[in-house]
Amino acid sequence: MPLEPSTFLILVLLGGIVAVDGTSFGQFMISRPFVAASLAGLVVGDPVSGATLGLMLEAFHLTVLPVGAAKYPEGGPAAVAGAGIYASTASAPSALVLTILVVLLLEYLGGETVRYLRQTNIGLVTVDHRPQLRARDLEKRHWLAMALDFARGCLLVALGMVVIALASRHLFPYWGFGEDLPQMMLIGILAGLLASTVSLLGSRFWFALAGATVAVAFLVLQA
Amino acid sequence: MNGFPGGVRLRMLLRSFTIQGSWNYETLIGAGFAYTILPALRHLYGKEGDALEKSVERHEELFNSHPYFVTVAVGAVSRLEQMGADPAVVVRFKTALRGSLGSMGDRLIWSAWRPMSLLIGLVLLLAGAAWWLAVAVFLVVYNALHLAVRVKGLQLGTEAGFDIGRVLKESPLQLVIDAASRFASFLVGVAVVLAAAPIYQDRGAALLVGTAIVLGAFLGTRSRRVMIAILAGVAALALAFGVMGYGA
C-alpha cells in the first residue's frame, strides 16, 4: 500500500528527530532501532510489524558502542525508513530479511553522513581551525549545527524509504527459498546476537545460564 | 555551597542536553562545553565584554567526556571560575577530569545500564507484552538514571569544585555497574530462550539456532559482522535462485 504524502512527511520528520536524539540533542534513546522502528510502525498504522523489525535491528545494535570519535553505524533514521515501508507492506519473513539487509546498508550510509557532518562542524565552531568564537556567535552556530543534523536525518529517511520501497517492489518478489528458511534464520540470528551481548557485560555466563533456566521453567509451566 | 542562582543552574542543566550539538573532529565537544557553561560565565563576567569573551574562548578548546557525566565537569569548572581560579589551572583541571568522566560514563551507561534497560524492553516484547509497554518501560528505566546523572552531576560539581575527584571516588558507581551487568546477563539468558522458543519442536531448526547461540556467545562483539555476512549470503543465494526462476 503506497504511503500518503502526509504519512511520508511525518516519517521524514521523525527521522530528523531520531537523528538529533542519536548525538546532538538529549540522547533519550528514542533513536534506538527498537524504539524508532516501533514509532515508525505506529505512524503507518502497524506498530507490531515496526516493533518486530525494531527487535531484529536492536539485536544487531546491542554491542555497538558510541565511544569517543569511533565510526559506527547510525541506527535511528535507518530504522524509521525500514519500518515505514516494511510495516506498510506485506510482512513475510523473506521481506523482513531483505528489509534488515537494506536497513543495515542505510545504517552505514548514516554513519558516513555523521562523519561528514562532524567534519563540517569544524568550520562552524572554529575560526581558521582555532576555537575563538564570541559568545553570541557560538550560540547561533551551535544551534545551526543541530539544525543541520536534523536536516541530515530527514534527508536520510526520505532517501531510505525510496530505496526500500523500490527494493521491496522490484527485488523482494524474487526471493527463491520459500518462507520457512528465512523464518528459521531470523530466529537463529536473533538468538545468536542476543547471546553475543554477554561478552559486553563482562562474560557473566553463569548469570545468563540462570536467566535461561528461569525462562525455560516459565515456558514449561505455561505449556 | 555554591553561589549560582537556581536559574543559572537550570539553564546550564538544560543546555547540557545539547552538549554534543556541534560535535566536531577538532575540538570534539569543546564548543558544546562553552555553550553549556555560558550562563555561569555571563553570571560571573557580565552579559558582554572582554572578560566574558576570553572565558568563552578558553572553554571552547578541545574537550570530551561522556555526554551525561559532563554536567559534573560543567558544575566543577563553573565553581572554579566563581572562585577566581587561575585559567591555566582550570585548563589542567578539565584535562584531568575529562578522561575519568568519559571512562565512568562508558562503563556505567554504555556498557551496563543501556544494555540492561534495552534487554528489559526486549524480554517484555519476546514474552508477548504490548509493543508500547516494552518501549515505555525501556525509556523510563533508561532515562531514570540518565536524568539522575545529569541533575546530580551538576549539583555535585558546583558544590565540590576542586574536590570533585574525591567525591566521585566515594560514589557507589562500581556497585551499580556490577549489579546492572549481572542483571543484564541474566536477561540475556531469558531473552535467548524466549527468542528460540518458537522452534524447539523442530529438531533441524533447533540445531541451527543452537549453533547460532554458541557462535554468538563465542564470537562476542564480532558476531555482528558474521551474522550480517550469513544473512547477506543466504539472501543473495535466494535472490539468485528467484531470478533464475527456481523456488517459490
Side-chain angles (χ1 to χ4, degrees):
Chain A
M1 191 178 67
L3 288 177
E4 295 287 325
S6 58
T7 310
F8 183 85
L9 187 67
I10 293 170
L11 288 170
V12 165
L13 292 176
L14 179 62
I17 292 168
V18 300
V20 292
D21 180 72
T23 305
S24 299
F25 183 87
Q27 292 196 304
F28 297 106
M29 295 299 140
I30 54 167
S31 52
R32 289 305 297 190
F34 156 57
V35 180
S38 300
L39 293 177
L42 179 67
V43 171
V44 298
D46 186 358
V48 175
S49 293
T52 306
L53 174 65
L55 171 70
M56 290 302 302
L57 295 174
E58 193 59 65
F60 279 99
H61 262 267
L62 274 169
T63 54
V64 175
L65 296 179
V67 177
K71 213 173 99 174
Y72 47 87
E74 191 194 28
V80 170
I85 300 300
Y86 174 73
S88 60
T89 54
S91 305
S94 62
L96 184 55
V97 167
L98 293 169
T99 304
I100 289 168
L101 283 170
V102 182
V103 169
L104 290 172
L105 275 175
L106 280 174
E107 287 184 0
Y108 278 99
L109 177 67
E112 286 304 309
T113 62
V114 168
R115 219 156 60 91
Y116 184 73
L117 179 76
R118 290 176 170 186
Q119 202 67 41
T120 308
N121 284 347
I122 295 173
L124 268 183
V125 296
T126 64
V127 180
D128 295 331
H129 295 273
R130 288 205 53 230
Q132 49 189 356
L133 288 178
R134 297 179 70 80
R136 292 237 180 264
D137 288 338
L138 171 74
E139 286 176 313
K140 281 181 201 156
R141 288 170 181 233
H142 188 65
W143 278 93
L144 180 60
M146 281 187 276
L148 284 177
D149 197 16
F150 179 81
R152 182 190 63 79
C154 292
L155 277 174
L156 208 57
V157 169
L159 174 76
M161 282 198 291
V162 172
V163 170
I164 296 169
L166 285 173
S168 133
R169 187 173 302 172
H170 300 294
L171 190 66
F172 293 7
Y174 286 106
W175 181 271
F177 282 173
E179 294 300 336
D180 287 344
L181 179 70
Q183 175 82 38
M184 201 164 64
M185 254 175 59
L186 288 168
I187 291 173
I189 281 177
L190 176 63
L193 287 169
L194 287 169
S196 75
T197 316
V198 179
S199 66
L200 177 74
L201 302 162
S203 298
R204 292 174 162 94
F205 285 103
W206 287 111
F207 284 90
L209 208 59
T213 310
V214 169
V216 169
F218 169 75
L219 290 173
V220 168
L221 287 174
Q222 222 186 19
Chain B
M1 215 25 222
N2 77 88
F4 288 111
V8 171
R9 277 177 286 159
L10 180 64
R11 280 200 292 279
M12 284 199 286
L13 177 68
L14 293 178
R15 283 177 179 230
S16 81
F17 287 98
T18 75
I19 200 145
Q20 298 196 122
S22 52
W23 208 109
N24 66 88
Y25 289 117
E26 284 201 357
T27 60
L28 307 180
I29 61 167
F33 187 93
Y35 175 80
T36 303
I37 203 171
L38 200 47
L41 300 178
R42 283 201 172 115
H43 178 73
L44 295 172
Y45 303 113
K47 293 221 159 116
E48 46 196 59
D50 270 2
L52 173 73
E53 299 303 345
K54 276 191 181 144
S55 67
V56 170
E57 232 176 75
R58 280 203 308 273
H59 292 301
E60 284 174 47
E61 297 281 350
L62 182 142
F63 189 74
N64 202 21
S65 165
H66 188 277
Y68 305 165
F69 276 83
V70 80
T71 55
V72 175
V74 169
V77 170
S78 64
R79 177 77 174 131
L80 298 197
E81 289 282 351
Q82 190 180 36
M83 288 161 57
D86 185 328
V89 174
V90 175
V91 169
R92 280 205 299 277
F93 179 75
K94 278 173 75 177
T95 308
L97 207 52
R98 74 178 191 223
S100 52
L101 289 179
S103 153
M104 260 179 203
D106 291 345
R107 286 187 301 127
L108 174 64
I109 306 290
W110 297 155
S111 301
W113 193 259
R114 190 172 70 178
M116 185 205 77
S117 313
L118 278 165
L119 282 160
I120 293 174
L122 297 186
V123 163
L124 282 172
L125 204 59
L126 288 165
W131 71 272
W132 58 266
L133 184 67
V135 167
V137 169
F138 159 62
L139 290 175
V140 168
V141 171
Y142 177 80
N143 284 302
L145 185 70
H146 162 199
L147 297 175
V149 167
R150 281 195 197 265
V151 174
K152 193 74 185 162
L154 186 66
Q155 187 200 338
L156 286 177
T158 47
E159 283 172 9
F162 272 125
D163 214 17
I164 193 65
R166 183 189 56 78
V167 173
L168 289 175
K169 217 174 253 177
E170 286 171 3
S171 69
L173 274 183
Q174 195 54 48
L175 288 176
V176 180
I177 292 169
D178 285 341
S181 298
R182 284 183 190 135
F183 186 48
S185 301
F186 177 85
L187 290 172
V188 167
V190 177
V192 168
V193 169
L194 292 179
I199 48 84
Y200 83 99
Q201 281 177 325
D202 179 339
R203 279 189 188 176
L207 186 67
L208 191 106
V209 172
T211 309
I213 293 169
V214 173
L215 196 69
F218 177 71
L219 290 174
T221 51
R222 289 168 294 165
S223 308
R224 180 184 154 91
R225 283 186 181 178
V226 175
M227 299 294 180
I228 291 174
I230 293 172
L231 204 61
V234 174
L237 273 177
L239 290 174
F241 264 60
V243 168
M244 288 187 294
Y246 297 112

